[in-house]
Amino acid sequence: MPPRYTSPSRFLSLGATYEVHEDHLELRTRVHNFVIPFETLRGVAVRPPVVLFDAFRTDRGVRLPVRTLKLDLADLAEHVAIDLSKGFWRQLRLTPEDPAAFVEAVQRARTAWRGDAG
């Protein structure tokens, strides 16, 4: 089945493409392809540049750093943070072409998936 949303490769994504599917995300980098099922997705949000400052900040104040992997040049632009419930990396940072549109596509797909999954 074709993806619901695709962010094409570009300079800031270091040639990676990011796709939103019916029940998962596919993040295709030059080094590794990540497949993230929605059941392991805790949250997704648009974040400002400079990931280092964001690593200690949450909606509830300061916390210990999370094992975060930047897939591209997320420090240089507005980007997307993906929080995961499983795996070594608990947060991924990436720079799709339009971060807000990517997050919206993920949220729409997750809502539809939850309805389909019961």
Side-chain angles (χ1 to χ4, degrees):
M1 186 172 287
R4 289 175 148 240
Y5 179 90
T6 300
S7 177
S9 67
R10 61 193 202 114
F11 173 74
L12 286 174
S13 72
L14 299 177
T17 59
Y18 307 123
E19 297 178 346
V20 178
H21 290 264
E22 300 296 322
D23 61 351
H24 68 281
L25 303 177
E26 290 185 21
L27 315 175
R28 299 170 192 216
T29 72
R30 292 176 187 231
V31 178
H32 184 73
N33 292 333
F34 295 86
V35 176
I36 302 168
F38 283 164
E39 53 265 2
T40 64
L41 186 64
R42 288 182 40 196
V44 60
V46 176
R47 302 301 306 156
V50 188
V51 173
L52 179 63
F53 300 134
D54 207 25
F56 295 97
R57 188 178 5 183
T58 69
D59 294 337
R60 295 173 304 250
V62 176
R63 66 170 176 207
L64 294 175
V66 176
R67 291 185 306 267
T68 301
L69 177 64
K70 293 184 288 181
L71 301 181
D72 56 29
L73 300 175
D75 277 320
L76 301 181
E78 185 176 66
H79 60 277
V80 172
I82 298 174
D83 288 315
L84 305 170
S85 62
K86 294 182 181 179
F88 181 78
W89 300 110
R90 292 302 180 102
Q91 193 173 88
L92 302 174
R93 300 295 181 112
L94 53 127
T95 312
E97 184 176 47
D98 183 342
F102 183 86
V103 167
E104 184 179 323
V106 171
Q107 290 170 340
R108 281 194 318 266
R110 282 181 75 198
T111 298
W113 173 77
R114 284 185 184 133
D116 293 342

